[in-house]
Amino acid sequence: LDDLTLYSKRLVEWFSKYPQLTLEFKTKSTNVKNFIDIKHAGNVVVSFSINPQIIVSREEHRTASLQERLETARLCADRGFPVAFHIDPMMAIDDWQKHYTDLVEQVTSVFKPHEVRWISIGALRYLPEMKQILRERFGANTETLRAELFMSAEGKLRYDGGLRNRMFTHVLNEF
């Protein structure tokens, strides 16, 4: 809705007055045109939720491709905005290790470590009541619904802890 509200522009301008504060824009889009040329204090982090392109294509409907997100992140970094990445939600699809290895290679081919403010990782999880909403919106043929998930102590459906640990360890080791 940023094209309608122009909030990103207002927020960047407001945060430029308060350099001790940090604002994070988190997106799966390439829509940075409203704030990319605004003078800023370097305290607005533009972060991108990323996944291997196969997951973007199958699960992240009507979002920018991985390549487009990385190109937009590069543009933001070149304009002095700190950038960050959220590899979330990681999904245990067939050959997930290879896909996440490729993802790390794509990120590291575009960015040096000092250019990235942070990287976070998280695995697929959602509240049980989301299952029906997902089925209605995307049908039953989605990895999100086919995944073997278990109820966690926090009341969310998640991969088992062993698989999550292997996924996180794999990505951390690749970086």
Side-chain angles (χ1 to χ4, degrees), residues 27-33 35-36 46-48 64-85 110-111:
T27 187
K28 292 182 181 185
S29 81
T30 59
N31 189 6
V32 298
K33 66 182 177 295
F35 66 85
I36 195 69
V46 186
S47 70
F48 295 83
S65 71
L66 172 61
Q67 186 63 38
E68 290 169 331
R69 293 178 210 186
L70 292 175
E71 289 170 1
T72 302
R74 179 78 265 159
L75 171 66
C76 291
D78 291 345
R79 299 288 176 90
F81 285 92
V83 297
F85 297 102
V110 178
F111 292 93

Side-chain angles (χ1 to χ4, degrees), residues 14 18 85 87 91-93 121 134 140-141 149 156 162 167:
W14 190 85
Y18 302 95
F85 297 102
I87 304 173
M91 300 181 82
I93 62 171
I121 56 177
L134 291 165
N141 193 22
L149 304 177
K156 291 185 179 179
M167 293 172 78

Side-chain angles (χ1 to χ4, degrees), residues 18-145:
Y18 302 95
Q20 74 278 16
L21 301 177
T22 300
L23 171 67
E24 178 186 12
F25 288 140
K26 185 176 180 182
T27 187
K28 292 182 181 185
S29 81
T30 59
N31 189 6
V32 298
K33 66 182 177 295
N34 289 339
F35 66 85
I36 195 69
D37 292 320
I38 294 176
K39 184 178 177 210
H40 59 90
N43 59 339
V44 176
V45 178
V46 186
S47 70
F48 295 83
S49 177
I50 59 173
N51 249 313
Q53 183 57 46
I54 190 169
I55 293 173
V56 172
S57 298
R58 290 182 187 171
E59 304 289 328
E60 298 181 358
H61 308 285
R62 298 192 320 230
T63 64
S65 71
L66 172 61
Q67 186 63 38
E68 290 169 331
R69 293 178 210 186
L70 292 175
E71 289 170 1
T72 302
R74 179 78 265 159
L75 171 66
C76 291
D78 291 345
R79 299 288 176 90
F81 285 92
V83 297
F85 297 102
H86 300 280
I87 304 173
D88 192 359
M90 289 184 69
M91 300 181 82
I93 62 171
D94 289 340
D95 296 323
W96 64 264
Q97 295 95 333
K98 178 194 178 313
H99 294 297
Y100 284 98
T101 295
D102 292 347
L103 174 72
V104 170
E105 288 174 1
Q106 287 175 279
V107 171
T108 57
S109 73
V110 178
F111 292 93
K112 304 243 183 297
H114 72 273
E115 294 181 298
V116 178
R117 183 69 61 96
W118 63 75
I119 296 173
S120 72
I121 56 177
L124 178 66
R125 77 262 181 215
Y126 54 86
L127 294 169
E129 51 269 24
M130 290 300 299
K131 201 168 198 171
Q132 183 58 35
I133 295 168
L134 291 165
R135 187 174 283 114
E136 289 171 4
R137 289 191 183 166
F138 305 111
N141 193 22
T142 173
E143 185 63 37
T144 306
L145 293 173

Side-chain angles (χ1 to χ4, degrees), residues 1-7 31 34:
L1 296 173
D2 196 47
D3 286 338
L4 299 174
T5 65
L6 301 179
Y7 273 163
N31 189 6
N34 289 339

